[in-house]
Amino acid sequence: MKITVVADSHKSFEALKNVAQANTDSDLFIHLGDGQYELIDVANLYPGMKFVFVKGDVDFGTIKEERVLTFEGQKIFCAHGHTLDVHDGIEKLLDKAIYHECKIALYAHTHIYKTDFIDGVYVMNPGSISEPRGKNPPTYGIIETDGDATIKMKIVEI
């Protein structure tokens, strides 16, 4: 199973379209917020792909700010992160992931990529595909899993 994880596209339709186009073999495409309008447009271009979105701090409407997904046997906690104070650390994110018995926790908001394994949870922030911070290039994430014990995460530079 391959999951493409993006975040913080901030109206950059072209960047998001390019990531989707490069990853049409993904089983799931997760957008972690701050890009709802371009995601709708990109999802319309790729009706065969499965897209999931969580609401970021600049998104609108009744979209959920946190989601727990079960996909191919893996429980995944998804959040933009602004309501979990991820600028101050990821303890609240980890607590929620562990509470929901998730093996993977995904977040965004900081615009800085990160992968880690903490307290039995694989943690990923894919960075930003349009407005990276910390002198980083634009990035997104790929998660590959066989549905059992093997989980591989990587950050991809655009």
Side-chain angles (χ1 to χ4, degrees):
M1 169 179 72
K2 177 181 174 184
I3 302 170
T4 301
V5 184
V6 300
D8 295 296
S9 48
H10 291 280
K11 300 182 183 176
S12 183
F13 168 78
E14 284 300 318
L16 188 59
K17 182 183 81 163
N18 291 341
V19 172
Q21 187 173 18
N23 293 283
T24 57
D25 62 335
S26 285
D27 299 292
L28 180 62
F29 194 100
I30 300 174
H31 194 303
L32 297 171
D34 289 354
Q36 75 187 84
Y37 297 115
E38 60 270 22
L39 181 66
I40 291 167
D41 292 340
V42 169
N44 285 331
L45 292 175
Y46 298 95
M49 291 176 72
K50 180 177 171 95
F51 290 88
V52 172
F53 183 77
V54 293
K55 183 178 180 179
D57 58 316
V58 299
D59 297 316
F60 300 95
T62 58
I63 303 162
K64 293 181 180 179
E65 293 177 338
E66 298 175 3
R67 293 186 72 168
V68 175
L69 310 173
T70 302
F71 193 76
E72 300 287 331
Q74 296 291 347
K75 286 186 81 176
I76 306 167
F77 181 76
C78 304
H80 183 67
H82 62 292
T83 60
L84 299 172
D85 303 317
V86 295
H87 278 297
D88 296 327
I90 60 170
E91 293 80 15
K92 291 179 184 177
L93 173 87
L94 277 173
D95 287 348
K96 288 235 176 171
I98 291 168
Y99 173 80
H100 290 290
E101 300 177 339
C102 294
K103 185 97 176 180
I104 301 170
L106 306 175
Y107 73 103
H109 191 54
T110 65
H111 295 224
I112 298 172
Y113 66 83
K114 176 185 178 112
T115 61
D116 213 337
F117 183 71
I118 304 169
D119 295 335
V121 179
Y122 291 87
V123 179
M124 175 187 277
N125 181 328
S128 172
I129 62 172
S130 68
E131 298 178 5
R133 294 181 184 148
K135 299 183 182 180
N136 290 312
T139 56
Y140 65 94
I142 298 289
I143 300 171
E144 294 179 307
T145 178
D146 59 13
D148 291 325
T150 307
I151 296 173
K152 297 178 184 173
M153 299 185 303
K154 69 179 177 180
I155 299 297
V156 179
E157 292 183 13
I158 297 178

